[in-house]
Amino acid sequence: MHGVPALDCQRRETPTTMRHLLLALLLSAGLAHAELPETDWLDLMPPEDRKALEEMPDISHDSPEGDSTFYGADGLRQQDKDLPAVMYSAKTVAALDGKTMRLGGYPVPLESDEKGNSTLFFLVPYPGACIHVPPPPPNQLVLVRYPKGIPLDDIYAPLWVSGELKVENVSNDLADAAYAMEAGEVRPVTDEDL
């Protein structure tokens, strides 16, 4: 064929080029293992819900543990019908769908594997959300799926959960959630994190 240059299938790399390639691979491997920055729970609320939450009057947390005012037959669902509408909101932030992120929060275990490790749990922004304080609205509840499982001996011990967030309406016997996450990593928060 005329006018078509021959391809050099045996391209030779110089030592400098190889060093740059190796350095780039090492750096990218190191960055791949770097922890994601923390996502704030309020980022899961649309702006109008954040504004309504900021303008909401203080809620009394004086109800005794187990009082059905907040926790009853409906689990993490709101029981106090006098709370503002934002406390029932399932409005989401569409731009977060499919984003990989890291959230810090507290577990509410749902399912365990044969070793007793939790493989399915709700992540909530504050401890005690299932007992003696008002439960968070659905857009502040994330259903976490973690097939590897993690022992959850203390629901008051905070966790870091990293993975892909999905806008997904989830409803089960305990709660309604507006988000779900396929977790790639779940680990306890340590003193080094603080």
Side-chain angles (χ1 to χ4, degrees), residues 18 37 39-40 51-52 55 69 123 127 129 137 142 150 159 178 180 185:
M18 291 301 288
T39 298
D40 190 298
K51 185 175 190 277
E55 294 172 354
T69 302
L123 191 69
V142 176
I150 184 169
L159 299 174
E185 180 183 19

Side-chain angles (χ1 to χ4, degrees), residues 144-176:
V144 177
R145 297 177 182 107
Y146 190 55
K148 292 180 190 175
I150 184 169
L152 296 178
D153 302 324
D154 183 1
I155 64 169
Y156 292 97
L159 299 174
W160 286 119
V161 178
S162 299
E164 184 179 347
L165 189 74
K166 292 286 188 189
V167 172
E168 180 182 329
N169 289 317
V170 176
S171 185
N172 70 16
D173 292 341
L174 187 62
D176 296 324

